Amino acid sequence: MNREMIIVLDFGGQYNQLIARRVRECNVYCEVHPCTMDLEKIKEMAPKGIIFTGGPNSVYKDDSPSCPKEIYELGIPILGICYGSQLMAHQLEGRVETAPVSEYGKTEVEVENHSKLFGDVSPKTICWMSHTDYIAKAPEGFQVTAHTPVCPVAAMERPDKNWYAVQFHPEVMHTQEGMKMLSNFVYKVCGCAGDWKMDSFVETTIQEVREKVGNGRVLCALSGGVDSSVAAVLLAKAVGKQLTCVFVDHGLMRKNEGDEVEAVFGPDGPYDLNFVRVNAQDRFYSKLAGVTDPEQKRKIIGEEFIRVFEEEAKKIGAVDFLVQGTIYPDVIESGLGKSAVIKSHHNVGGLPDHVDFKEIIEPLRLLFKDEVRRAGLELGIPEYLVYRQPFPGPGLGVRIIGEVTAEKVHIVQEADAIYREEVAKAGIDKDLGQYFAALTNMRSVGCMGDGRTYDYAIALRAVLTSDFMTAEAAEIPWEVLSRVTSRIVNEVKGVNRVLYDCTGKPPATIEWE
Ligand code: XMP
């Protein structure tokens, strides 16, 4: 396909997709590929630029990730970041060593702004450093364009070849002028026109899906959440009635949510979809009976989901593709990249080994949540659906600590409905990334109406986040918390205590399991 693009080569760093996302924010299409990507393939894709990511290794060790040296002969501009900068130095015969002083965190860097990369950047600028090795000597022909008191080569370049390298991370927010640097690379070094927009993503994806699916039949796992709704509407636009959306009510939805989903996507809603609702509550509850381990619960719910889909698929007959609304944070947090497994997100790590479909289509796999929302708006999905707060695939199953029972589901549904109602009434819902009630497995003593109670504690959570990878606890006004607390203990049978979760992510995660 003939579109302007930048390729990010992945050397195992944590921020690889973030780099791609920043480039997309500059209105240039960007994809992440393994560092072992074939040079012929790169030539075929004809990117306007290549970015080498960071990574946890040392370039001078034999088994460290690398790419063929011939990449420098392709005539394509290259920007090396952190490990990527060291790799460039190493491959072009500079010297990389263990730094006498490691640098972590915000660091003041002095830059030469005659460099194209640093045009309009302040001479002293705060950058995010995270390295134990450093470039001790830049390769022949390179100019050093930035340094810190302990890092002699914080940036280097060979403008005649369009090779640039920075020791710090321009892609993270803590690098105050990082976006300017990336934009300089993309526009001034690579000469991009910047005519890519989210609607190009939507159009291109619709086109790609059409080509892939042909006359095949597609089944979409619709939960009513933002991600699967965007995936469903995208697919409906691509293949129309070849698509059937199956909504499995696993009995772990928020209060009244099953009916709300049906109202939007069912026959009386605005979309022309084949819609099937499967009421599978009892089936899920019985599989979950007695299970307390969070990962096991996730796996059971994920597996049961797929089984229900397979059964529905058989009823529809000859289904070739399964569509899922997996987004990027689900992919890395499930440990499918090189990062550690935090939890098996439903849709990804929770998949059983054997899945009875020819192929799985995940059109949103490379997008962050806010990018998915923009795609949703481009698709004409109403704002109230697009800005719905996220809801995890395993639903209340990961908001009930310990064993899941119908009684506990009822308690958390009621408490959560009160919390959401009061937060919306107070007009603070739009300011919060996500907020919900969780049922702790803890019971404590209370006294109500002169009698002793021994009931559950509900935990309220509210976080501020835009990418859901990191989050901080939100400061909900006390009067809202106190109103919610008294309503929950008065109206929800089985609860006598309400707690507020003040933890950020990290160290906690947003969900409780
Ligand atoms: P955590 O709890 O990992 O959540 O900080 C990050 C974001 O992902 C949502 N989440 C999930 N979404 N399937 C999903 O589709 C899952 O299994 C899942 N687990 C967590 C969570 O609600 C938050 O928005």
Side-chain angles (χ1 to χ4, degrees), residues 115-129:
S115 158
K116 275 190 194 167
L117 198 64
F118 298 129
D120 296 330
V121 171
S122 327
K124 287 186 180 180
T125 184
I126 300 293
C127 298
W128 182 261
M129 288 282 194

Side-chain angles (χ1 to χ4, degrees), residues 227 298 330 333 342-347 369 390-394 398-399 434 468 505 509-513:
D227 306 339
R298 280 179 169 272
D330 305 340
E333 295 204 350
I342 309 291
K343 51 179 83 164
S344 305
H345 272 209
H346 189 264
N347 296 348
K369 188 66 123 199
F391 189 62
V398 294
R399 294 182 181 172
Q434 197 168 0
F468 297 83
K505 171 186 178 178
T509 54
I510 295 175
E511 301 293 343
W512 270 44
E513 283 191 342

Side-chain angles (χ1 to χ4, degrees), residues 123 125 137 156 164 244 256 308 341 348 350 356 358 374 401 435 459 470 478 481 484 489 508:
T125 184
K137 185 173 161 291
M156 61 174 198
Y164 291 78
T244 300
N256 298 333
V308 175
V341 180
V348 191
D356 214 1
K358 197 160 85 190
R374 267 192 283 145
I401 307 306
Y435 58 101
T470 58
W478 183 251
L481 286 179
V484 173
V489 288

Side-chain angles (χ1 to χ4, degrees), residues 405-433:
T405 63
E407 182 214 359
K408 286 184 179 174
V409 169
H410 180 71
I411 292 176
V412 76
Q413 276 178 337
E414 293 299 320
D416 184 69
I418 291 172
Y419 186 32
R420 283 188 290 136
E421 189 185 319
E422 290 298 333
V423 166
K425 246 198 247 164
I428 53 172
D429 49 333
K430 302 264 178 332
D431 306 332
L432 303 173

Side-chain angles (χ1 to χ4, degrees), residues 307-364:
R307 297 293 160 242
V308 175
F309 281 125
E310 283 174 349
E311 289 170 20
E312 288 309 310
K314 283 210 188 85
K315 285 187 210 157
I316 296 161
V319 169
D320 307 289
F321 300 93
L322 176 69
V323 178
Q324 293 195 318
T326 317
I327 68 169
Y328 185 66
D330 305 340
V331 177
I332 41 169
E333 295 204 350
S334 296
L336 298 191
K338 293 189 178 80
S339 355
V341 180
I342 309 291
K343 51 179 83 164
S344 305
H345 272 209
H346 189 264
N347 296 348
V348 191
L351 279 181
D353 297 336
H354 172 73
V355 178
D356 214 1
F357 301 98
K358 197 160 85 190
E359 213 177 312
I360 293 188
I361 301 179
E362 296 176 311
L364 312 175

